[in-house]
Amino acid sequence: MTLAVNAFDFDCAGETLQALPQGALYWPARRLLAVADLHLEKGSSYAVAARKLLPRHDTRQTLAALAALIDALQPATVVCLGDSFHDRAAVERLPQEDRIEIERLTQRTRFVWIAGNHDPAPPPGYFGKEGWGEVAEEIDEAPLVFRHEAHFGPVRGEVSGHFHPVAALTVRGRGFRRRCFLTDGHRLILPAFGAYAGGLNALDPAIAQLFPDDYDALLVGRDAVRRLSWRQLRPDATALG
């Protein structure tokens, strides 16, 4: 089956980038595909901790979505922007079929795994040694730099994840939330790609402080991406005491 990739073109640091409805970023000039916060094996982590009972199929669903994009775009490089695994033991919990799928994908193209706060030290014996790709704190692909968490202060060309941004809207009296990219033309924050990843409101101070002036949300829809100013968004409803 051919995947329809309805890309939304926008500019960041003078480069034309494409936000995809799947929640991934494509840089045509470098044939680079970037995804953030896969959180593989989050479902099994919750099951082990006995905190929540979630279906343990998130890894398979996330890998299938990533494989479909690789099939469609044939990228030269795939950059995973940190928190690719939900915790340090996630690799050990991977079902054999999912381990085989990761090996298959990483043999098809160059993979770079950026260290995140959930996976700061990739498990030895699984990366590099077995051909799962490269590991880095960040990578500089001038004029863009790819890292897990945005640096506070002025930047140009920064691409990151970590915050799992979502946009809250009210349309015809009905509220809803959508994953979104956030950009001011200088920096870019990607939505979480993982099937079980949650989201932080795009107006939350932790995010808003990174954009001192105007910034836009690129809302991820089922088949398209829509651009809105932060002024069109709303905070999440708060419970009344």
Side-chain angles (χ1 to χ4, degrees):
M1 182 177 67
T2 301
L3 176 71
V5 180
N6 299 320
F8 180 89
D9 290 5
F10 66 101
D11 180 89
C12 184
E15 292 292 316
T16 298
L17 306 178
Q18 295 180 335
L20 307 179
Q22 293 81 5
L25 176 76
Y26 189 58
W27 186 6
R30 301 288 178 90
R31 293 180 54 217
L32 186 150
L33 176 67
V35 289
D37 300 281
L38 304 180
H39 284 274
L40 301 177
E41 289 306 298
K42 182 174 182 178
S44 65
S45 173
Y46 279 17
V48 169
R51 294 172 182 167
K52 293 185 179 180
L53 296 178
L54 295 175
R56 297 175 64 165
H57 307 306
D58 56 310
T59 294
R60 192 155 309 162
Q61 184 177 342
T62 300
L63 291 177
L66 181 57
L69 283 174
I70 292 173
D71 288 342
L73 297 169
Q74 298 292 309
T77 302
V78 175
V79 178
C80 298
L81 292 171
D83 287 1
S84 300
F85 295 89
H86 188 63
D87 55 55
R88 292 173 183 263
V91 172
E92 302 297 336
R93 297 195 305 275
L94 277 172
Q96 182 63 20
E97 53 266 45
D98 294 337
R99 192 187 306 272
I100 291 172
E101 178 65 358
I102 292 174
E103 292 173 356
R104 185 185 74 85
L105 292 176
T106 55
Q107 288 170 6
R108 292 184 56 185
T109 188
R110 177 195 180 206
F111 260 72
V112 181
W113 305 84
I114 302 295
N117 55 292
H118 279 256
D119 53 0
Y126 290 100
F127 294 95
K129 188 175 179 180
E130 292 190 4
W132 281 22
E134 308 165 31
V135 177
E137 289 294 323
E138 61 181 49
I139 60 169
D140 190 340
E141 295 282 340
L144 303 182
V145 59
F146 295 82
R147 58 174 59 109
H148 176 59
E149 184 175 355
H151 288 183
F152 184 76
V155 296
R156 180 170 173 80
E158 180 188 74
V159 180
S160 65
H162 180 65
F163 289 104
H164 305 198
V166 294
L169 295 169
T170 301
V171 178
R172 297 176 182 173
R174 180 181 178 185
F176 62 93
R177 300 171 96 238
R178 293 286 186 272
R179 290 183 301 152
C180 66
F181 301 78
L182 297 175
T183 185
D184 60 359
H186 300 290
R187 70 171 6 130
L188 172 67
I189 301 177
L190 269 63
F193 192 80
Y196 283 176
L200 181 65
N201 191 290
L203 299 181
D204 187 278
I207 292 176
Q209 68 176 342
L210 298 168
F211 299 100
D213 299 312
D214 286 346
Y215 62 102
D216 290 336
L218 310 181
L219 274 64
V220 172
R222 179 174 297 180
D223 301 309
V225 175
R226 179 185 178 193
R227 186 170 199 153
L228 294 177
S229 166
W230 68 272
R231 293 181 177 85
Q232 297 172 270
L233 310 181
R234 65 169 179 81
D236 292 326
T238 57
L240 299 177

Coordinates of all heavy atoms in Angstrom, one line a residue, residues 129-201:
K129 N 27.0 -1.9 17.7 CA 27.6 -3.2 17.7 C 26.7 -4.2 16.9 O 27.2 -5.0 16.2 CB 27.7 -3.7 19.1 CG 28.4 -5.1 19.2 CD 28.6 -5.4 20.7 CE 29.3 -6.8 20.8 NZ 29.5 -7.2 22.2
E130 N 25.4 -4.0 17.0 CA 24.5 -4.9 16.2 C 23.9 -4.2 15.0 O 23.0 -4.6 14.3 CB 23.4 -5.4 17.1 CG 23.8 -6.4 18.2 CD 22.7 -7.0 18.9 OE1 21.5 -6.8 18.5 OE2 22.9 -7.8 19.8
G131 N 24.5 -3.0 14.7 CA 24.1 -2.3 13.5 C 22.8 -1.5 13.6 O 22.1 -1.3 12.6
W132 N 22.4 -1.1 14.8 CA 21.2 -0.3 14.9 C 21.4 1.1 14.6 O 20.4 1.9 14.7 CB 20.6 -0.5 16.3 CG 19.8 -1.8 16.5 CD1 20.0 -2.9 15.8 CD2 18.9 -2.1 17.5 NE1 19.2 -3.9 16.2 CE2 18.4 -3.4 17.3 CE3 18.3 -1.3 18.5 CZ2 17.5 -4.0 18.1 CZ3 17.3 -1.9 19.3 CH2 16.9 -3.2 19.1
G133 N 22.5 1.6 14.3 CA 22.8 3.0 13.9 C 23.7 3.7 14.8 O 24.5 3.1 15.6
E134 N 23.7 5.0 14.7 CA 24.6 5.9 15.5 C 23.9 6.5 16.6 O 22.7 6.6 16.6 CB 25.2 7.0 14.6 CG 25.8 6.5 13.2 CD 25.9 7.7 12.2 OE1 26.1 8.8 12.7 OE2 25.8 7.4 11.0
V135 N 24.7 6.8 17.7 CA 24.2 7.5 18.9 C 24.9 8.8 19.0 O 26.1 8.9 18.8 CB 24.4 6.6 20.1 CG1 23.9 7.4 21.4 CG2 23.7 5.3 20.0
A136 N 24.2 9.9 19.4 CA 24.8 11.2 19.6 C 24.0 12.0 20.6 O 22.8 11.8 20.8 CB 24.8 11.9 18.2
E137 N 24.6 13.0 21.2 CA 23.9 13.9 22.1 C 23.1 14.9 21.2 O 22.0 15.3 21.6 CB 24.9 14.7 22.9 CG 25.6 13.9 24.0 CD 24.6 13.4 25.1 OE1 23.7 14.2 25.4 OE2 24.7 12.3 25.6
E138 N 23.7 15.3 20.1 CA 23.0 16.1 19.1 C 23.8 16.0 17.8 O 24.9 15.5 17.8 CB 22.9 17.6 19.5 CG 24.2 18.2 19.7 CD 24.1 19.7 20.2 OE1 23.3 19.9 21.1 OE2 24.8 20.5 19.6
I139 N 23.2 16.4 16.7 CA 23.9 16.4 15.4 C 23.8 17.7 14.7 O 22.7 18.3 14.8 CB 23.5 15.3 14.5 CG1 22.0 15.3 14.1 CG2 23.8 13.9 15.1 CD1 21.6 14.4 13.0
D140 N 24.8 18.2 14.2 CA 24.8 19.5 13.5 C 24.8 19.3 12.0 O 25.8 18.8 11.4 CB 26.1 20.3 13.9 CG 26.1 21.7 13.4 OD1 25.3 22.0 12.5 OD2 26.8 22.6 14.0
E141 N 23.7 19.6 11.4 CA 23.6 19.5 9.9 C 23.3 20.9 9.4 O 22.2 21.2 8.9 CB 22.4 18.6 9.6 CG 22.6 17.1 10.0 CD 23.5 16.4 9.0 OE1 23.7 16.9 7.9 OE2 24.0 15.3 9.4
A142 N 24.3 21.8 9.6 CA 24.2 23.2 9.3 C 23.4 23.5 8.0 O 23.6 22.8 7.0 CB 25.6 23.8 9.2
P143 N 22.4 24.4 8.1 CA 22.2 25.3 9.2 C 21.3 24.8 10.3 O 20.8 25.6 11.2 CB 21.5 26.5 8.5 CG 20.7 25.8 7.4 CD 21.6 24.7 7.0
L144 N 20.9 23.5 10.4 CA 20.1 23.0 11.4 C 20.9 22.2 12.4 O 21.8 21.5 12.0 CB 18.9 22.2 10.8 CG 18.0 22.8 9.7 CD1 17.0 21.8 9.3 CD2 17.4 24.1 10.3
V145 N 20.4 22.2 13.6 CA 21.0 21.3 14.6 C 19.9 20.6 15.3 O 18.8 21.1 15.6 CB 21.8 22.1 15.7 CG1 21.0 23.1 16.4 CG2 22.5 21.2 16.7
F146 N 20.1 19.3 15.4 CA 19.0 18.4 16.0 C 19.4 17.9 17.4 O 20.5 17.3 17.6 CB 18.9 17.2 15.0 CG 18.4 17.5 13.7 CD1 19.2 18.0 12.7 CD2 17.0 17.4 13.4 CE1 18.8 18.3 11.4 CE2 16.5 17.7 12.1 CZ 17.4 18.2 11.1
R147 N 18.6 18.1 18.3 CA 18.8 17.7 19.7 C 17.5 17.3 20.4 O 16.4 17.6 19.8 CB 19.5 18.8 20.5 CG 18.7 20.2 20.6 CD 19.4 21.2 21.5 NE 20.8 21.5 21.1 CZ 21.1 22.6 20.6 NH1 20.2 23.6 20.4 NH2 22.4 22.9 20.3
H148 N 17.6 16.7 21.6 CA 16.3 16.3 22.2 C 15.5 17.4 22.8 O 14.3 17.6 22.5 CB 16.7 15.3 23.3 CG 15.4 14.8 24.1 ND1 14.4 14.2 23.5 CD2 15.1 15.0 25.4 CE1 13.4 14.0 24.4 NE2 13.9 14.4 25.6
E149 N 16.2 18.2 23.6 CA 15.4 19.3 24.3 C 16.0 20.7 23.9 O 17.2 20.9 23.8 CB 15.5 19.2 25.8 CG 14.7 20.2 26.6 CD 14.8 19.9 28.1 OE1 15.4 18.9 28.5 OE2 14.2 20.8 28.8
A150 N 15.1 21.6 23.6 CA 15.4 23.0 23.2 C 16.3 23.6 24.2 O 16.0 23.5 25.4 CB 14.2 23.8 22.9
H151 N 17.3 24.4 23.8 CA 18.1 25.2 24.7 C 17.4 26.6 24.9 O 16.9 27.2 24.0 CB 19.5 25.5 24.1 CG 20.3 24.3 24.1 ND1 21.6 24.3 23.7 CD2 20.1 23.0 24.5 CE1 22.1 23.1 23.8 NE2 21.2 22.3 24.3
F152 N 17.4 27.0 26.1 CA 16.8 28.3 26.4 C 17.6 29.5 25.9 O 18.9 29.4 25.9 CB 16.6 28.5 27.9 CG 15.9 29.8 28.3 CD1 14.5 29.9 28.1 CD2 16.6 30.9 28.8 CE1 13.9 31.1 28.5 CE2 16.0 32.1 29.1 CZ 14.6 32.2 29.0
G153 N 17.0 30.5 25.3 CA 17.7 31.6 24.8 C 17.7 31.6 23.3 O 17.1 30.7 22.6
P154 N 18.2 32.7 22.6 CA 18.2 32.8 21.2 C 18.9 31.7 20.5 O 20.0 31.3 20.9 CB 18.9 34.1 20.9 CG 18.8 34.9 22.2 CD 18.9 33.8 23.3
V155 N 18.3 31.1 19.5 CA 18.9 30.1 18.7 C 18.5 30.3 17.2 O 17.5 31.0 16.9 CB 18.5 28.6 19.1 CG1 19.0 28.3 20.5 CG2 17.0 28.5 19.0
R156 N 19.1 29.6 16.3 CA 18.7 29.6 14.9 C 19.0 28.3 14.3 O 20.1 27.7 14.4 CB 19.5 30.7 14.1 CG 19.1 30.7 12.6 CD 19.7 31.9 11.9 NE 19.4 31.9 10.4 CZ 18.3 32.2 9.9 NH1 17.3 32.6 10.6 NH2 18.1 32.1 8.6
G157 N 17.9 27.7 13.8 CA 18.0 26.4 13.2 C 18.0 25.2 14.2 O 18.4 24.1 13.8
E158 N 17.4 25.4 15.3 CA 17.3 24.3 16.3 C 16.0 23.4 16.1 O 14.9 24.0 15.9 CB 17.3 24.8 17.7 CG 17.2 23.7 18.8 CD 16.9 24.3 20.2 OE1 15.8 24.8 20.4 OE2 17.9 24.3 21.0
V159 N 16.2 22.1 16.0 CA 15.1 21.2 15.8 C 15.1 20.2 17.0 O 16.2 19.6 17.3 CB 15.2 20.4 14.5 CG1 14.1 19.4 14.4 CG2 15.3 21.3 13.3
S160 N 14.0 20.1 17.8 CA 14.0 19.3 19.0 C 12.7 18.7 19.2 O 11.7 18.9 18.4 CB 14.4 20.2 20.2 OG 13.4 21.2 20.4
G161 N 12.6 17.9 20.3 CA 11.3 17.3 20.7 C 11.1 17.5 22.1 O 10.9 18.7 22.5
H162 N 10.9 16.4 22.9 CA 10.8 16.5 24.4 C 9.5 16.9 25.0 O 9.0 16.3 25.9 CB 12.0 17.4 25.0 CG 11.9 17.5 26.5 ND1 12.2 16.4 27.3 CD2 11.7 18.5 27.3 CE1 12.1 16.7 28.5 NE2 11.8 18.0 28.6
F163 N 8.9 18.0 24.4 CA 7.7 18.6 25.1 C 6.4 17.9 24.6 O 5.4 18.2 25.2 CB 7.7 20.1 24.8 CG 8.7 20.8 25.6 CD1 9.9 21.3 25.0 CD2 8.6 21.1 27.0 CE1 10.8 22.0 25.7 CE2 9.6 21.8 27.7 CZ 10.7 22.2 27.0
H164 N 6.4 17.2 23.6 CA 5.2 16.6 23.1 C 4.1 17.6 22.9 O 3.0 17.5 23.4 CB 4.6 15.5 24.0 CG 5.5 14.4 24.4 ND1 5.1 13.2 25.0 CD2 6.9 14.3 24.3 CE1 6.1 12.4 25.2 NE2 7.2 13.1 24.8
P165 N 4.3 18.7 22.1 CA 3.4 19.8 22.1 C 2.0 19.4 21.5 O 2.0 18.6 20.5 CB 4.1 20.9 21.2 CG 5.1 20.1 20.4 CD 5.5 19.0 21.3
V166 N 1.0 19.9 22.1 CA -0.4 19.8 21.5 C -1.1 21.1 21.5 O -0.8 22.0 22.4 CB -1.2 18.8 22.3 CG1 -0.7 17.4 22.2 CG2 -1.4 19.2 23.8
A167 N -1.9 21.4 20.5 CA -2.7 22.6 20.4 C -4.1 22.4 20.9 O -4.7 21.4 20.4 CB -2.6 23.1 19.0
A168 N -4.6 23.2 21.7 CA -6.0 23.1 22.2 C -6.8 24.2 21.4 O -6.4 25.4 21.4 CB -6.1 23.3 23.7
L169 N -8.0 23.9 20.9 CA -8.8 24.8 20.2 C -10.2 24.7 20.6 O -10.7 23.6 21.1 CB -8.7 24.5 18.7 CG -7.3 24.7 18.0 CD1 -7.4 24.1 16.6 CD2 -7.0 26.2 17.9
T170 N -11.0 25.7 20.3 CA -12.4 25.7 20.4 C -13.0 26.0 19.1 O -12.8 27.1 18.5 CB -13.0 26.6 21.5 OG1 -12.4 26.3 22.8 CG2 -14.5 26.5 21.6
V171 N -13.8 25.1 18.5 CA -14.4 25.3 17.2 C -15.9 25.1 17.3 O -16.3 24.0 17.7 CB -13.7 24.4 16.1 CG1 -14.4 24.6 14.8 CG2 -12.3 24.7 16.0
R172 N -16.7 26.1 17.0 CA -18.1 26.0 17.1 C -18.6 25.5 18.5 O -19.4 24.6 18.6 CB -18.7 25.1 16.0 CG -18.4 25.7 14.6 CD -18.9 24.7 13.5 NE -18.6 25.2 12.2 CZ -18.8 24.6 11.1 NH1 -19.3 23.3 11.1 NH2 -18.5 25.1 9.9
G173 N -17.9 26.0 19.5 CA -18.2 25.6 20.9 C -17.7 24.3 21.4 O -17.9 23.9 22.5
R174 N -17.0 23.6 20.5 CA -16.4 22.3 20.9 C -14.9 22.4 21.0 O -14.2 22.9 20.1 CB -16.8 21.3 19.8 CG -16.4 19.9 20.1 CD -16.8 18.9 19.0 NE -16.3 17.6 19.3 CZ -16.4 16.6 18.4 NH1 -17.1 16.7 17.3 NH2 -16.0 15.4 18.7
G175 N -14.4 21.9 22.1 CA -13.0 21.9 22.3 C -12.3 20.6 21.9 O -12.9 19.5 22.0
F176 N -11.1 20.7 21.3 CA -10.4 19.5 21.0 C -8.9 19.8 21.0 O -8.5 21.0 21.1 CB -10.8 19.0 19.6 CG -10.5 19.9 18.5 CD1 -9.3 19.9 17.7 CD2 -11.5 20.9 18.1 CE1 -9.1 20.7 16.7 CE2 -11.3 21.7 17.0 CZ -10.1 21.7 16.3
R177 N -8.1 18.8 21.0 CA -6.6 18.9 21.1 C -6.0 18.2 20.0 O -6.5 17.1 19.6 CB -6.1 18.4 22.4 CG -6.6 19.1 23.7 CD -6.2 18.3 24.9 NE -5.0 18.9 25.6 CZ -3.9 18.2 25.8 NH1 -3.8 16.9 25.5 NH2 -2.9 18.8 26.4
R178 N -4.9 18.7 19.4 CA -4.2 18.1 18.3 C -2.7 18.2 18.5 O -2.2 19.2 19.0 CB -4.6 18.7 17.0 CG -6.0 18.5 16.5 CD -6.2 17.1 16.0 NE -7.6 17.0 15.4 CZ -8.7 16.7 16.1 NH1 -8.6 16.5 17.4 NH2 -9.8 16.6 15.5
R179 N -2.0 17.1 18.2 CA -0.6 17.2 18.2 C -0.1 18.3 17.2 O -0.8 18.6 16.2 CB 0.1 15.9 17.7 CG -0.1 14.7 18.7 CD 0.6 13.5 18.1 NE 0.1 13.1 16.9 CZ 0.8 12.5 15.9 NH1 2.1 12.2 16.1 NH2 0.3 12.1 14.8
C180 N 1.0 18.9 17.5 CA 1.4 20.0 16.6 C 2.9 20.2 16.7 O 3.6 19.8 17.6 CB 0.7 21.3 17.0 SG 1.2 22.0 18.7
F181 N 3.4 20.8 15.6 CA 4.8 21.3 15.5 C 4.7 22.8 16.0 O 3.6 23.4 15.8 CB 5.3 21.3 14.1 CG 5.4 20.0 13.4 CD1 4.2 19.4 12.9 CD2 6.6 19.4 13.2 CE1 4.3 18.2 12.2 CE2 6.7 18.2 12.6 CZ 5.5 17.6 12.1
L182 N 5.7 23.3 16.6 CA 5.8 24.7 17.0 C 7.0 25.3 16.4 O 8.1 24.8 16.4 CB 5.8 24.8 18.5 CG 4.6 24.3 19.3 CD1 4.9 24.4 20.8 CD2 3.3 25.1 18.9
T183 N 6.9 26.5 15.8 CA 8.0 27.2 15.1 C 7.8 28.7 15.1 O 6.7 29.2 15.0 CB 8.2 26.6 13.7 OG1 9.4 27.2 13.2 CG2 7.1 27.0 12.8
D184 N 8.9 29.4 15.2 CA 8.9 30.8 15.0 C 9.9 31.2 13.8 O 10.2 32.4 13.6 CB 9.4 31.6 16.3 CG 10.8 31.2 16.7 OD1 11.4 30.3 16.0 OD2 11.3 31.7 17.7
G185 N 10.2 30.2 13.0 CA 11.1 30.4 11.9 C 12.6 30.3 12.3 O 13.5 30.2 11.4
H186 N 12.9 30.2 13.6 CA 14.3 30.1 14.0 C 14.5 28.7 14.7 O 15.5 28.1 14.6 CB 14.6 31.2 15.0 CG 14.5 32.5 14.4 ND1 15.4 33.0 13.5 CD2 13.6 33.6 14.7 CE1 15.0 34.2 13.1 NE2 14.0 34.6 13.8
R187 N 13.5 28.3 15.5 CA 13.5 27.0 16.1 C 12.3 26.2 15.8 O 11.2 26.8 15.5 CB 13.8 27.1 17.6 CG 12.6 27.6 18.4 CD 12.7 27.6 19.9 NE 14.0 27.1 20.5 CZ 14.6 27.8 21.4 NH1 14.1 29.0 21.9 NH2 15.7 27.3 21.9
L188 N 12.3 24.9 16.0 CA 11.2 24.0 15.7 C 11.1 22.9 16.8 O 12.1 22.3 17.1 CB 11.4 23.4 14.3 CG 10.4 22.3 13.9 CD1 9.0 22.9 13.7 CD2 10.9 21.6 12.6
I189 N 9.9 22.7 17.3 CA 9.7 21.6 18.2 C 8.7 20.7 17.6 O 7.6 21.1 17.1 CB 9.1 22.1 19.6 CG1 10.1 23.1 20.2 CG2 8.9 21.0 20.5 CD1 9.6 23.7 21.5
L190 N 9.1 19.4 17.6 CA 8.3 18.4 16.9 C 7.3 17.8 17.9 O 7.6 17.7 19.1 CB 9.1 17.2 16.4 CG 9.6 17.4 14.9 CD1 10.5 18.6 14.8 CD2 10.4 16.1 14.5
P191 N 6.1 17.3 17.4 CA 5.2 16.5 18.3 C 5.8 15.2 18.5 O 6.7 14.7 17.9 CB 4.0 16.4 17.4 CG 4.4 16.5 16.0 CD 5.6 17.4 16.0
A192 N 5.3 14.5 19.5 CA 5.7 13.1 19.8 C 5.1 12.2 18.7 O 4.0 12.3 18.3 CB 5.2 12.7 21.2
F193 N 6.0 11.3 18.3 CA 5.6 10.3 17.3 C 5.0 9.0 17.9 O 4.3 8.3 17.2 CB 6.8 10.0 16.4 CG 6.5 9.3 15.1 CD1 6.0 10.0 14.0 CD2 6.7 7.9 15.0 CE1 5.7 9.3 12.8 CE2 6.4 7.2 13.8 CZ 5.9 7.9 12.7
G194 N 5.4 8.7 19.1 CA 5.0 7.5 19.7 C 3.5 7.3 19.9 O 2.8 8.3 20.2
A195 N 3.0 6.1 19.8 CA 1.6 5.8 19.8 C 1.0 6.2 21.2 O -0.2 6.6 21.3 CB 1.3 4.4 19.5
Y196 N 1.7 6.0 22.3 CA 1.2 6.2 23.6 C 1.7 7.5 24.3 O 1.5 7.7 25.5 CB 1.6 5.1 24.6 CG 0.8 3.8 24.4 CD1 1.1 2.6 25.1 CD2 -0.3 3.8 23.5 CE1 0.3 1.5 24.9 CE2 -1.1 2.6 23.3 CZ -0.7 1.5 24.0 OH -1.5 0.3 23.9
A197 N 2.3 8.4 23.5 CA 2.9 9.6 24.1 C 1.8 10.6 24.3 O 0.9 10.8 23.5 CB 3.9 10.2 23.1
G198 N 1.8 11.3 25.5 CA 0.9 12.3 25.8 C 1.3 13.6 25.2 O 2.0 13.7 24.3
G199 N 0.7 14.7 25.8 CA 1.1 16.0 25.2 C 1.0 17.1 26.2 O 0.2 17.1 27.1
L200 N 1.8 18.2 26.0 CA 1.8 19.4 26.8 C 1.2 20.5 25.9 O 1.6 20.7 24.8 CB 3.2 19.7 27.2 CG 3.4 20.9 28.1 CD1 2.8 20.7 29.4 CD2 4.9 21.2 28.3
N201 N 0.4 21.3 26.5 CA -0.3 22.4 25.8 C 0.7 23.4 25.3 O 1.7 23.7 25.9 CB -1.2 23.1 26.8 CG -2.1 24.1 26.0 OD1 -1.7 25.1 25.5 ND2 -3.4 23.8 26.0

